[in-house]
Amino acid sequence: MRAVICCLCLAVLACGGAPAPVDGGEPPAQDDGGGRLEPDGGVGEDAGRGDDGGRDAGVDGGAPDGGVRLVAVAHQRELRGVWVSTVSNLDVPQLASRDAGVAALAALVERTRSAGLNALFFQVRPESDAWYQSSLEPWSRFLTGTQGRDPGWDPLETLLELAHARGVEVHAWVNPYRGLVSASAQAAATHVSRTLSAHAVTYGGKVTMDPGARAVRAHVVAVMSDLLDRYDVDGLHFDDYFYPYPDGSGAPFPDEATFQAYRADGGVLGKSDWRRDNVNQLVREVMGLVTREHPQVRFGISPFGIWRPNNPPGVVGLDAFETISCDAVTWLNQGWVDYVAPQLYWPTTSTGQPFVPLLTWWAGALRGGRHVYAGHGLYRLGTSGWTSADEIRAQVVAARVLRSEGVLGGIHFREANLRANLLGVADLFKSDLYAAPALPPPLPRAGAAVAPTPPTVARTAGQVSVSHPLPMTVRFFALYRLGPQGQWVLADVAGGPQATFPVRSGTFAVSAVGRGGAESQAAVVVVP
């Protein structure tokens, strides 16, 4: 786990100026309301539900030693994420220079915060390579231009420091089976397509590592273990690339030899069931790794938005269960994921793939208190059915209506489209949909979200400073202000070993938020 604070990172953040002071007045009103498949099915390039409101300010734990009054605080949690694609440099350019890289990642974090989002889903393994210091895989060619070339700095470590300081989670987005985006790409000697060359399958102009090979599965699990041991990420995230999507020629994925070896070894499953079992074994083993060794990491997957045609009735499109061996319902039923984020890249007006009925169906498939986060297709803005950012508004409002069913937020695809402010969507986020801050929901697994003890606070002129005696138990500090109706309202979030909140006069309370999302009682501070 990396814990060294990058001075240059913090200096870059400081250049953006201090946050505006938070006052104790009435909070603003909150509205209640890489390669992805195109909506027509064609292939393109690449603990609970949380509290529904603040608690009465009069409910507190008395004044502990030192005279600090503690109160219970809470707010309506919502995961607000954005996917950041590094494959083919879709959202992030090559960053071989450390100075340029730190500046680019700092700008990414600030755009995320400005839009009211609270989670980055950053692609750290686009093609069995690494945007971090790995002991098992080479540096990504999308980072330096040449696979295996050391950039001389660590993008993931830097991003974690920058994002956590600004109250933003970082989820490591991993492609489990993709070997190379292009079969003609030059692979480093340490790349899995060369070290396990017998299991590297060329199909559709790409290289896929055979999901039916035990050595491939073992390698992926080892890479996940190495990643989680080295980096203090908030989540581990798989996308929808399992068995590859059809290449358009009608030729099947060439894994017959692997299947026959399985049957010769006593296997009894048919080929379709065998393929799904191969993927399921990987998902189960990764969740086992997470729960045993990193229980406060959120593990989830973003499957294709249709599990099977006619689910719900009338839905048409690709059969992900059969075609790419993706059985997300089993993952939910077995508790092998903390959430699914189905890629629902269709508008609310669609007849064959309607957003709201599909999201409602996914919510109905939940088991064991797991979560659903809607996958929103920002990249579709400006196309048919997406002529206004109001389509995104309608989707977010629909997701919030399903909150009681376990739909606790959404992830937007992808960051370059948000950065471009397509049809004013970034403005919509900042001024309306995500104007009031929120933390992601606590992890739903029993024992995964452990509340830290309350923080230590001090008031000086115009600011509240906060720290914690056990900083490794804390991810963020949350600043609440006392609203006119006597409720605590979340005003700001920051992280790091200590944080400073600029404030104006009013009554405030500061809590500590642990890894996994559980929140302590808050220490009350009165600012004259």
Side-chain angles (χ1 to χ4, degrees):
M1 181 181 296
R2 310 266 177 119
V4 178
I5 299 298
C6 170
C7 295
L8 178 57
C9 299
L10 298 180
V12 169
L13 278 179
C15 291
V22 177
D23 62 40
E26 185 174 355
Q30 182 176 12
D31 192 335
D32 289 334
R36 302 295 166 120
L37 281 188
E38 301 296 329
D40 60 4
V43 180
E45 221 0 62
D46 221 57
R49 316 261 189 211
D51 203 311
D52 284 341
R55 307 217 182 133
D56 185 88
V59 180
D60 63 64
D65 293 343
V68 177
R69 186 164 69 96
L70 298 179
V71 296
V73 292
H75 66 281
Q76 186 163 288
R77 300 289 192 96
E78 182 177 57
L79 186 132
R80 303 167 177 177
V82 63
W83 277 292
V84 185
S85 299
T86 60
V87 67
S88 304
N89 301 110
L90 290 175
D91 293 329
V92 184
Q94 290 183 15
L95 297 176
S97 161
R98 182 175 184 268
D99 289 353
V102 171
L105 294 181
L108 168 65
V109 170
E110 290 309 298
R111 288 193 301 271
T112 303
R113 274 280 305 211
S114 177
L117 304 179
N118 57 26
L120 287 164
F121 289 76
F122 192 88
Q123 193 174 32
V124 301
R125 188 182 189 256
E127 53 172 12
S128 298
D129 53 2
W131 276 65
Y132 61 94
Q133 181 68 59
S134 171
S135 65
L136 299 174
E137 295 191 312
W139 288 101
S140 176
R141 65 188 171 101
F142 302 121
L143 174 61
T144 64
T146 301
Q147 192 177 83
R149 179 186 294 169
D150 189 338
W153 69 293
D154 192 324
L156 180 55
E157 180 181 28
T158 300
L159 180 62
L160 285 165
E161 293 164 357
L162 291 165
H164 287 163
R166 297 291 281 131
V168 175
E169 288 191 349
V170 176
H171 296 247
W173 167 13
V174 166
N175 297 86
Y177 296 117
R178 186 161 63 194
L180 294 168
V181 173
S182 171
S184 62
Q186 182 63 44
T190 55
H191 190 259
V192 68
S193 66
R194 298 181 68 177
T195 60
L196 295 178
S197 59
H199 306 303
V201 182
T202 299
Y203 178 74
K206 302 175 176 64
V207 174
T208 298
M209 300 309 300
D210 189 348
R214 293 178 182 175
V216 169
R217 185 169 70 248
H219 176 75
V220 174
V221 174
V223 170
M224 299 305 99
S225 179
D226 179 64
L227 170 63
L228 295 178
D229 283 347
R230 288 170 178 265
Y231 296 90
D232 188 19
V233 296
D234 300 281
L236 181 64
H237 179 79
F238 285 0
D239 63 13
D240 57 320
Y241 288 114
F242 300 104
Y243 278 82
Y245 286 102
D247 68 354
S249 71
F253 180 68
D255 63 345
E256 182 64 21
T258 311
F259 176 62
Q260 291 303 329
Y262 157 78
R263 295 298 292 265
D265 197 34
V268 297
L269 295 176
K271 195 168 190 179
S272 292
D273 289 335
W274 167 75
R275 283 179 168 177
R276 279 186 292 275
D277 186 59
N278 292 330
V279 175
N280 288 351
Q281 286 185 63
L282 175 66
V283 174
R284 182 176 67 244
E285 289 182 22
V286 171
M287 177 52 98
L289 167 70
V290 169
T291 54
R292 285 192 314 272
E293 301 181 24
H294 305 277
Q296 293 173 340
V297 170
R298 194 186 307 266
F299 175 51
I301 300 177
S302 58
F304 181 65
I306 300 170
W307 178 62
R308 306 207 72 177
N310 213 38
N311 288 271
V315 164
V316 297
L318 180 135
D319 187 341
F321 179 86
E322 182 66 31
T323 305
I324 60 173
S325 308
C326 173
D327 187 7
V329 172
T330 291
W331 308 336
L332 289 168
N333 288 344
Q334 298 298 325
W336 295 342
V337 292
D338 293 312
Y339 68 89
V340 292
Q343 297 171 25
L344 302 174
Y345 302 155
W346 303 283
T348 52
T349 55
S350 172
T351 55
Q353 302 93 17
F355 178 92
V356 176
L358 277 166
L359 182 57
T360 303
W361 182 89
W362 280 103
L366 285 176
R367 299 291 186 277
R370 274 20 185 186
H371 299 161
V372 170
Y373 307 131
H376 302 284
L378 291 191
Y379 77 105
R380 302 292 298 172
L381 287 171
T383 65
S384 177
W386 300 76
T387 56
S388 167
D390 283 341
E391 172 59 33
I392 295 296
R393 183 204 303 273
Q395 294 184 9
V396 172
V397 170
R400 288 171 173 168
V401 170
L402 292 169
R403 179 178 181 80
S404 64
E405 303 302 314
V407 179
L408 298 185
I411 314 174
H412 298 273
F413 188 77
R414 53 188 174 79
E415 201 279 329
N417 308 118
L418 182 64
R419 182 169 73 248
N421 196 20
L422 288 182
L423 303 184
V425 69
D427 299 330
L428 174 68
F429 284 3
K430 182 177 181 178
S431 65
D432 186 350
L433 291 178
Y434 304 135
L439 287 164
L443 272 166
R445 269 181 282 118
V450 179
T453 57
T456 301
V457 297
R459 175 176 60 81
T460 58
Q463 65 182 28
V464 172
S465 298
V466 57
S467 60
H468 199 277
L470 299 172
M472 292 304 294
T473 67
V474 177
R475 170 64 78 227
F476 300 126
F477 298 108
L479 175 74
Y480 290 79
R481 62 187 171 196
L482 184 61
Q485 305 304 316
Q487 288 188 318
W488 293 109
V489 180
L490 183 66
D492 201 359
V493 178
Q498 58 186 29
T500 300
F501 295 105
V503 293
R504 297 190 179 95
S505 62
T507 301
F508 299 89
V510 185
S511 67
V513 182
R515 290 165 173 78
E519 190 169 14
S520 74
Q521 286 186 303
V524 175
V525 181
V526 178
V527 180

